Amino acid sequence: MTLRPPREDEFDAMLEVMNAHQLAAFGEADVTAEDLQAWLTTPYVVADRDIRVLERDGRLVGYADVDPTRDEPPMWWCDVKIASDADADAVARELVGWIDERTHADGGRIRIWTSETDTRVAGAYRALGFEPTRHSYRMEIDLVGEDRDPVWPDGIAVRSGTDADQQAVYEATVEVWRDTNDPIDETFDEWAHWHARQSSYDPSLWFLAEAGEELAGFAVCRQDPVDPNAGYVALLGVRRPWRRQGLGEALLVHAFRAFRERGLTRGTLGVDASSKTGATRLYERAGMRAYRTTVFFEREVRG
């Protein structure tokens, strides 16, 4: 096996190994070409430094990248993908060995993930010293027959977004995410790269709840990148002064109604299972259910 940076002509091969992992682990080949292109063009990503592929007999069987937070020491979010017909232990050992080499100068912790039911890959991670620390859920709601109207707190008005709202929504997102397990340390340009500069960007699906001239809460939505019949809630947040008044649920129900009006039959989102703001309970109250679970593994960087 050969471990190396990806070549420029290997976009399709990287996408193939990513989706082979996802299909085996989650039952969905859900990495889109736009997702991969967005990652490769992220302002701070340098492919030769931050990405490795593992080749065997002329075919890619593994992929790994690193994405550190700006904490000192950092948390290294590492996306590791292993082809479904590859030796998971051998591939994981090669890829994690590179991750250790790439990260050891800065220290910190390494975080990797896969499906909760993916015993093949999870076992390979455990053999390398990783332990499960957290979970996240992908949740959904069937919108067929769903006919709720949002109940807005007094003094709140809601409208769709415009291009001019991007900075305000970014600042509110940073503020809200300070109360989560993973505060946002992206610059505006990095955040906008993912949320406002992809082809899926649709400001008419950004819903802003305002109290007078102040932004109280937001739901940043788009069409689901994998299921053309679904709407996806990418970000949902309520600023502290307006919490515990039902605003989050009202925004979610408002988004679902907008999805239905566009002929979509399903709503989806992702959530930290141990959310400190009670997001999972909010989504369950709105009628959503978890349909897949991701487990996150961590350990200290090794030299």
Side-chain angles (χ1 to χ4, degrees), residues 122-133:
Y125 293 162
R126 288 179 184 273
L128 294 168
F130 288 88
E131 294 293 338
T133 56

Side-chain angles (χ1 to χ4, degrees), residues 252-290:
L252 194 60
V253 172
H254 181 80
F256 293 159
R257 184 171 65 180
F259 294 163
R260 289 197 309 274
E261 289 172 351
R262 294 189 177 210
L264 303 177
T265 59
R266 182 171 171 252
T268 65
L269 53 74
V271 61
D272 177 2
S274 55
S275 167
K276 295 192 292 186
T277 60
T280 303
R281 295 190 299 276
L282 162 65
Y283 302 150
E284 290 172 341
R285 287 198 304 273
M288 304 193 80
R289 60 191 174 275

Side-chain angles (χ1 to χ4, degrees), residues 12 18-19 36 47 65 126 128 144 149 158 167 173 178 180 191 195 202 222 224 227 229 258 268 270 278 281:
D12 289 343
M18 289 177 167
N19 276 319
L36 180 54
D65 63 41
R126 288 179 184 273
L128 294 168
V144 176
D149 290 325
V158 66
Q167 182 72 40
T173 302
R178 291 192 189 115
T180 72
W191 180 90
H195 295 289
D202 182 354
R222 60 177 182 266
D224 189 290
D227 181 355
N229 296 311
T268 65
R281 295 190 299 276

Side-chain angles (χ1 to χ4, degrees), residues 18 47 73 110 120 134 142 205 212 262 273-274 276 290:
M18 289 177 167
I110 298 169
R120 180 184 73 106
R134 286 170 50 190
D142 182 357
L205 284 175
R262 294 189 177 210
S274 55
K276 295 192 292 186

Side-chain angles (χ1 to χ4, degrees), residues 134-152:
R134 286 170 50 190
H135 294 77
S136 70
Y137 300 138
R138 182 65 65 89
M139 303 186 74
E140 65 180 352
I141 185 172
D142 182 357
L143 299 177
V144 176
E146 171 75 17
D147 193 25
R148 292 177 59 192
D149 290 325
V151 178
W152 300 104

Side-chain angles (χ1 to χ4, degrees), residues 160-163 195-196 198-207 219-223 262:
S160 292
T162 68
D163 291 347
H195 295 289
Q198 306 302 319
S199 63
S200 56
Y201 167 61
D202 182 354
S204 70
L205 284 175
W206 288 31
F207 304 115
V220 173
C221 308
R222 60 177 182 266
Q223 189 157 339
R262 294 189 177 210

Side-chain angles (χ1 to χ4, degrees), residues 89-155:
D89 290 306
V91 173
R93 187 165 53 249
E94 292 286 337
L95 295 174
V96 172
W98 168 73
I99 291 171
D100 277 325
E101 180 181 321
R102 168 69 179 85
T103 60
H104 81 274
D106 296 292
R109 293 184 65 80
I110 298 169
R111 177 178 289 166
I112 54 181
W113 57 91
T114 192
S115 166
E116 184 179 51
T117 60
D118 186 11
T119 56
R120 180 184 73 106
V121 173
Y125 293 162
R126 288 179 184 273
L128 294 168
F130 288 88
E131 294 293 338
T133 56
R134 286 170 50 190
H135 294 77
S136 70
Y137 300 138
R138 182 65 65 89
M139 303 186 74
E140 65 180 352
I141 185 172
D142 182 357
L143 299 177
V144 176
E146 171 75 17
D147 193 25
R148 292 177 59 192
D149 290 325
V151 178
W152 300 104
D154 291 343

